[in-house]
Amino acid sequence: MIRKFFKGFTIHTFLILMSFLSLFPFLWLISTALKGIDENIFQYPPVFIPKHLTFENFTGVWKQIPFMVYFLNSFIVAGFTVILNLIFSSLAAYPLARMDFKGKNFIFSLILATIMIPFQAIMLPIYLIVLKLHLVDSYGYVCGYLGLILPFAVNAFGIFLMRQAFLSIPKEMEEAAFIDGAGIFNIWRKILLPMTAPTLAVLAIFTFIGSWGEFLWPSIVLTNKNLYTLPVGINDLQGMFSANWRYIAAGSIISIIPIIIFFVSMQKYFISGQNEGAVKG
C-alpha cells in the first residue's frame, strides 16, 4: 500500500512539474502584458504578479498596428484552409478506405511518408510554384490569399485521420445505399460525412490551430502589409533595434483567444473524434 502511494505521488508530482513548465511561457506572457513601463519584465527570478496592473498594453497594440485588418486576414486564411482540408482530405480518404483498386496500399504508404518530410525542406519549391502561378500578393488580394491557403489545402494527416474514420463505418450501410440507387458521391456526402462528424471536428481543430499560428510561410510570401496575418503583424512590432515586448505579449494573448473559442466550441466532438479515428488500421 505504501509503495503504491509513493508511486502515485511520484507520478503526480512529475506531471504537475511538467504542467507548470508547459504553462510557464503562457503565464509569463500574461504577466508581461499586464505590467506597466516602470516594471522590469526580464528580471530574475521572474515576478508573475504585476505591481501595478494595467490594460494599456492591450489598447496600445490596437493603436500601434492595424490589428483588426490582421485579424480579418488570419480569419479568412484559417477559415478557408479548414474548409478545403475537410473537403479534400475526406475526398482523398474515401477511395483509400472504401474502394478496391490496384496500388491502393502503395499510394496510401506514399501519402503517409510525406508526414516525415519537414515543410522547410519543400518550402523553396512550393514558393517557386506559387511565384510562377502568380499567387503572391503583388498580383492582388485574391492571389495573396490563395498563395497562403492552397499550399495547406490538404495534408497527409487529414487523409489518414479521415481514412481511419471511414474504415470504422460498417460496409452494410454503404451497400444498402447502393441498393437504394445512391451514387458514390451521394454516399460520401449524405452518409459517410455525417457519421464522421466528430473526426471532421478534430481535423478542423488541428487545421485551424496550425493555420492561425502559421508564421514562416506568410512571412516569406507576403510583402503587402494589408495582407499580413496576425503572427506576421505582431512580429512587425519588433523593430531593428528595439521591441515593445509588452505590446507583443498583449497582441499574442489577443491572437490566442479565437483558438480557445474555436476549441471550446468543438470540444464535445474532440475526444470521441480522436477515438473514432483510431478504431481500425
Side-chain angles (χ1 to χ4, degrees):
M1 181 66 70
I2 297 177
R3 181 182 297 180
K4 185 177 180 180
F5 170 79
F6 277 106
K7 182 180 179 181
F9 177 79
T10 304
I11 293 175
H12 282 83
T13 302
F14 176 77
L15 292 176
I16 291 172
L17 289 175
M18 291 299 102
S19 299
F20 178 77
L21 289 176
S22 301
L23 289 173
F24 177 82
F26 185 70
L27 295 175
W28 183 85
L29 199 68
I30 296 176
S31 175
T32 302
L34 295 175
K35 288 180 178 179
I37 58 175
D38 57 333
E39 295 186 59
N40 183 12
I41 60 176
F42 296 111
Q43 68 184 80
Y44 183 83
V47 177
F48 289 103
I49 302 176
K51 295 178 181 178
H52 306 288
L53 192 68
T54 178
F55 293 94
E56 292 181 359
N57 297 321
F58 292 93
T59 58
V61 72
W62 283 84
K63 300 175 182 178
Q64 190 76 14
I65 58 175
F67 202 89
M68 203 61 198
V69 174
Y70 299 158
F71 186 92
L72 181 62
N73 291 336
S74 289
F75 185 79
I76 292 173
V77 172
F80 278 100
T81 302
V82 169
I83 293 172
L84 292 178
N85 259 277
L86 296 182
I87 295 173
F88 292 148
S89 295
S90 57
L91 280 174
Y94 178 70
L96 293 173
R98 314 301 287 188
M99 298 180 183
D100 293 322
F101 56 90
K102 190 175 181 180
K104 181 178 74 171
N105 293 330
F106 177 71
I107 293 173
F108 181 61
S109 299
L110 287 179
I111 292 173
L112 286 183
T114 61
I115 297 178
M116 296 183 291
I117 304 175
F119 177 72
Q120 290 79 2
I122 59 175
M123 185 172 56
L124 180 59
I126 291 178
Y127 176 75
L128 293 176
I129 292 173
V130 169
L131 197 63
K132 292 292 184 181
L133 292 175
H134 304 308
L135 299 179
V136 292
D137 56 2
S138 58
Y139 290 91
Y141 282 85
V142 175
C143 292
Y145 286 131
L146 290 177
L148 294 175
I149 296 169
L150 292 183
F152 303 96
V154 66
N155 58 69
F157 171 75
I159 295 173
F160 167 77
L161 196 66
M162 293 306 303
R163 175 183 177 271
Q164 301 304 101
F166 288 151
L167 287 174
S168 65
I169 300 175
K171 277 198 171 185
E172 290 76 12
M173 302 191 66
E174 192 174 353
E175 292 169 355
F178 269 121
I179 294 174
D180 291 337
I184 293 177
F185 182 78
N186 284 331
I187 291 174
W188 168 79
R189 183 172 63 90
K190 295 182 178 180
I191 297 177
L192 296 183
L193 284 186
M195 295 187 67
T196 56
T199 305
L200 289 171
V202 171
L203 180 58
I205 290 172
F206 282 116
T207 305
F208 184 84
I209 292 174
S211 179
W212 188 270
E214 179 63 33
F215 170 76
L216 180 61
W217 181 248
S219 64
I220 293 173
V221 175
L222 297 177
T223 57
N224 185 353
K225 287 191 175 184
N226 292 325
L227 282 172
Y228 276 7
T229 55
L230 266 179
V232 182
I234 292 173
N235 184 70
D236 203 39
L237 290 169
Q238 183 175 353
M240 185 177 296
F241 301 105
S242 63
N244 192 328
W245 293 107
R246 294 170 178 81
Y247 281 6
I248 293 175
S252 299
I253 291 174
I254 296 174
S255 67
I256 294 172
I257 294 176
I259 296 178
I260 297 174
I261 294 174
F262 189 80
F263 178 80
V264 170
S265 63
M266 308 287 281
Q267 188 178 17
K268 62 180 180 180
Y269 298 109
F270 189 71
I271 301 299
S272 59
Q274 281 188 316
N275 294 335
E276 182 179 319
V279 173
K280 291 186 178 182

